[in-house]
């Protein structure tokens, strides 16, 4: 039986040619022409003024938190239903994550919960665009302006996602993207940072490169990091950007086929709500009953179909545990499954997956 993985990268186009150019010219490390080309192409695609590449999506978040001078004594509001990197990076700065609940319909952070969590120590809000659906940016931006808070967008899972025609990552003071191997566009590892203020962007560039002085060789006048992307990664990224519209269109078609194939079952697909473009990083289903989730995943595994559960709530992790209860996030976390979501999926494979999901209930398992 053919195994269907949850994700495979889509490495077509100029990927091989650009990587081979790095190899033949010797520009394989964090210097080389593809770095600037990828950053410029990414900024153009998202509608940002500027972009700077980094080693991965996690250090991208840490970098912007540092560049925005968030640290001990500060609070950062973040959804509990998120990948743990969103929270770990807040803790790494010495700041305190303040967890809030999510919305049932979109899976995104609840703006009303953000408003209710603001204290005199709140310095920033982190909006995480989960699984490719945008957060309610109109409301979140308004809250941040009203309370003079910094806004950080974690767009690790939302390349290609639009809120009212505008690419996510262009609303906040800073934004971050991930290019891990299972992301919509990939560089293997890698990430990108956007920032509204040119001074913040300049600080990001210095912080990611050991704090080197712009005017003096081997002079480092700040505590900083080595968070740079390699030229080979940027070469892959440039080739991916060139195919980005094609990749996103294919992923939307995959999601549409799931929506049709899984209709009338005791579950719902993660559909766009409002004037948004959902990039479908993952094609997600939310079951009606939490008790069906693990048996369904086990059944699909027996059929050679790999899946992933929704993220566990971050506030339940041992190193940042709180006694709070976030009922919507808890329910979503327990009911959610991510199905195979890669662009190379065939219609026949999707039909097989939908048939397997349907047979789970037909057999009364």
């Amino acid at each position: 039986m053919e195994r269907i993985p949850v994700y495979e990268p889509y490495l077509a186009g100029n990927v091989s040619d650009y990587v081979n150019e790095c190899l033949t010219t010797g520009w394989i490390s964090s210097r080389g022409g593809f770095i600037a080309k990828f950053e410029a192409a990414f900024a153009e695609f998202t509608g940002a003024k500027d972009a700077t590449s980094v080693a991965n999506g996690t250090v991208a978040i840490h970098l912007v938190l540092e560049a925005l001078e968030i640290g001990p004594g500060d609070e950062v509001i973040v959804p509990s239903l998120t990948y743990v990197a969103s929270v770990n990076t807040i803790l790494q700065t010495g700041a305190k994550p303040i967890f809030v609940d999510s919305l049932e319909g979109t899976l995104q952070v609840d703006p009303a919960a953000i408003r209710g969590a603001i204290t005199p120590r709140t310095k920033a809000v982190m909006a995480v665009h989960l699984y490719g659906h945008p957060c309610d940016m109109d409301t979140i931006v308004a809250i941040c302006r009203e309370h003079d808070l910094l806004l950080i967008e974690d767009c690790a899972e939302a390349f290609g996602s639009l809120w009212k025609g505008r690419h996510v990552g262009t609303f906040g003071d800073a934004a971050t993207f991930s290019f891990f191997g299972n992301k919509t566009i990939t560089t293997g590892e890698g990430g990108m940072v956007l920032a509204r203020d040119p001074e913040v962007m300049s600080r990001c560039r210095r912080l990611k490169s050991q704090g080197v002085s712009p005017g003096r060789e081997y002079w480092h006048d700040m505590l900083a990091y080595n968070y740079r992307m390699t030229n080979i990664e940027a070469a892959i990224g440039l080739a991916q950007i060139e195919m980005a519209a094609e990749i996103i269109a294919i992923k939307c078609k995959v999601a549409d086929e799931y929506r049709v194939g899984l209709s009338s079952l005791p579950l719902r697909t993660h559909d766009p709500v409002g004037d948004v473009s959902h990039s479908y990083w993952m094609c997600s289903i939310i079951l009606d009953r939490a008790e069906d989730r693990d048996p369904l995943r086990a059944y699909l595994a027996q059929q050679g179909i790999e899946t992933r559960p929704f993220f566990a709530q971050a506030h339940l992790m041992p190193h940042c545990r709180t006694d709070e209860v976030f009922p919507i996030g808890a329910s979503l976390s327990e009911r959610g499954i991510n199905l195979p979501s890669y662009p190379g999926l065939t219609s026949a494979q999707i039909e097989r997956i939908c048939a397997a999901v349907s047979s789970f209930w037909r057999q009364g398992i």
Side-chain angles (χ1 to χ4, degrees), residues 80-91:
S80 180
L81 185 61
T82 184
Y83 183 58
V84 72
S86 309
V87 176
N88 281 346
T89 47
I90 296 169
L91 292 168

Side-chain angles (χ1 to χ4, degrees), residues 183-239:
K183 294 302 190 291
T184 300
I185 65 167
T186 182
T187 60
E189 283 282 356
M192 195 71 75
V193 168
L194 309 179
R196 177 182 296 120
D197 187 339
E199 291 187 11
V200 174
M201 180 61 80
S202 176
R203 185 170 172 82
C204 284
R205 287 199 168 98
R206 292 193 64 203
L207 282 168
K208 80 171 189 178
S209 192
Q210 302 288 18
V212 65
S213 168
R216 182 175 176 182
E217 281 189 298
Y218 293 108
W219 188 255
H220 308 265
D221 55 8
M222 59 168 52
L223 178 63
Y225 314 95
N226 179 4
Y227 284 171
R228 295 170 298 204
M229 175 179 281
T230 69
N231 198 48
I232 288 182
E233 290 172 322
I236 298 170
L238 180 61

Side-chain angles (χ1 to χ4, degrees), residues 107-189:
L107 316 186
Q108 308 310 308
V109 64
D110 184 348
I114 292 174
R115 187 180 292 279
I118 295 170
T119 75
R121 294 178 297 280
T122 306
K123 188 166 184 179
V125 172
M126 186 180 294
V128 183
H129 305 289
L130 196 67
Y131 299 134
H133 192 294
C135 299
D136 178 352
M137 296 314 298
D138 286 355
T139 307
I140 294 172
V141 167
I143 292 170
C144 289
R145 287 177 178 169
E146 178 185 346
H147 294 273
D148 194 25
L149 302 176
L150 295 168
L151 174 57
I152 299 159
E153 293 182 72
D154 180 349
C155 310
E157 303 169 8
F159 174 78
S161 301
L162 309 180
W163 172 262
K164 296 185 175 178
R166 182 173 164 186
H167 203 290
V168 298
T170 61
F171 296 86
D173 295 279
T176 65
F177 293 79
S178 170
F179 307 132
F180 185 61
N182 64 4
K183 294 302 190 291
T184 300
I185 65 167
T186 182
T187 60
E189 283 282 356

Side-chain angles (χ1 to χ4, degrees), residues 19 22-31 230-233:
V19 169
C22 294
L23 297 176
T24 56
T25 61
W27 292 104
I28 62 172
S29 191
S30 56
R31 292 187 178 183
T230 69
N231 198 48
I232 288 182
E233 290 172 322

